Amino acid sequence: LKRCNLSGIHMDSLQLLQNLTLLDLASNQLSDFAIDALPKSIRELDLSCNKIQTLCKDCNESVTIPNLIKLNVSHNNLSRLPIKCPSLQTLDCGHNCISEISQEFLNSTSRSLTTLDARENSIKTCLNLSKCTSLKVVVLAHNQLTEPPIIHTNLAQLILSENKLSSLEGLFQDDSTEHSQLVALHSRDNRLDTLDSEVVQRLLHIRLLD
């Protein structure tokens, strides 16, 4: 259903598809989407390049999508992610209007999420990713961050370019002494005065420092 000029979806009909595992609605004209109405069988969902402002109509609390492993909601008009995804491995929510990724969402994905791409948003709040032990790639370029995220030492690639960072202090948990597995750290186009020595000492595996 990609590039079909769809402006709406009858979610009641989709609920009947109890064996549906992949749904691709990219590059349409959707302005909203009821992700909570999807069948529980869904594992991959692509809603990129639409005009979606909300993923859950009339939801005051986050909804759980139990089996979703890949979600692409990039290039929309989302301001938040009101979902919990205990099986999610890959999230692309870049090019939206998101100002915060809730700790509730991050906690729900802490054991499964391997890739988080949230570039080109309006994120200001420091992200605590220290419990996300499976994360390998985090892209937070072109946001409004004034503090770096708190990362787990298992993370391999971190892209923080084009934010408002004045320091990388706090990148690792204070109570952790493990060496970081980071091999690539991108922090160009920020406001860094100096490199924090405690951070540098943990970067024994670094290959690219930009």
Side-chain angles (χ1 to χ4, degrees):
L1 298 174
K2 187 175 184 177
R3 290 191 294 269
C4 287
N5 203 37
L6 295 170
S7 59
I9 295 289
H10 294 290
M11 299 305 297
D12 291 343
S13 300
L14 284 180
Q15 278 187 319
L16 300 175
L17 307 178
Q18 293 301 309
N19 293 314
L20 184 67
T21 58
L22 188 154
L23 178 60
D24 189 346
L25 291 166
S27 301
N28 280 289
Q29 302 295 320
L30 301 175
S31 59
D32 56 55
F33 190 81
I35 197 170
D36 53 314
L38 289 172
K40 294 188 183 301
S41 58
I42 198 75
R43 292 177 65 80
E44 297 186 32
L45 177 61
D46 192 340
L47 298 172
S48 61
C49 301
N50 277 280
K51 302 175 181 178
I52 298 172
Q53 298 181 15
T54 177
L55 288 175
C56 183
K57 276 191 171 181
D58 304 321
C59 285
N60 294 320
E61 297 182 1
S62 296
V63 295
T64 300
I65 315 298
N67 298 309
L68 191 65
I69 61 172
K70 185 175 183 179
L71 175 61
N72 188 345
V73 289
S74 64
H75 296 272
N76 277 287
N77 298 317
L78 293 169
S79 59
R80 64 190 190 105
L81 298 172
I83 52 176
K84 292 186 283 189
C85 303
S87 301
L88 193 65
Q89 296 175 12
T90 302
L91 170 64
D92 187 347
C93 60
H95 299 269
N96 276 284
C97 307
I98 297 169
S99 60
E100 178 182 13
I101 297 179
S102 73
Q103 198 61 47
E104 182 181 39
F105 169 78
L106 293 173
N107 289 343
S108 76
T109 65
S110 62
R111 295 184 178 182
S112 59
L113 193 64
T114 62
T115 302
L116 169 61
D117 189 339
R119 74 185 74 196
E120 297 270 359
N121 276 286
S122 302
I123 299 172
K124 299 177 181 178
T125 307
C126 174
L127 301 183
N128 188 342
L129 306 173
S130 61
K131 304 265 194 249
C132 299
T133 56
S134 297
L135 260 182
K136 296 300 180 186
V137 178
V138 172
V139 184
L140 293 169
H142 213 293
N143 276 282
Q144 303 294 318
L145 290 171
T146 56
E147 297 178 48
I150 305 170
I151 64 172
H152 192 275
T153 53
N154 288 345
L155 190 68
Q157 183 175 357
L158 177 61
I159 302 177
L160 297 173
S161 308
E162 298 183 79
N163 276 279
K164 298 180 178 180
L165 300 172
S166 58
S167 171
L168 293 178
E169 183 179 359
L171 188 63
F172 303 105
Q173 292 185 90
D174 291 337
D175 58 351
S176 173
T177 58
E178 294 181 43
H179 292 307
S180 169
Q181 299 301 309
L182 270 179
V183 294
L185 173 58
H186 300 260
S187 55
R188 63 178 174 80
D189 294 314
N190 274 283
R191 301 172 180 176
L192 300 177
D193 294 325
T194 185
L195 281 177
D196 185 78
S197 59
E198 292 186 7
V199 171
V200 173
Q201 290 170 14
R202 308 272 298 266
L203 302 177
L204 295 187
H205 299 281
I206 203 76
R207 296 177 187 172
L208 189 157
L209 190 56
D210 173 15

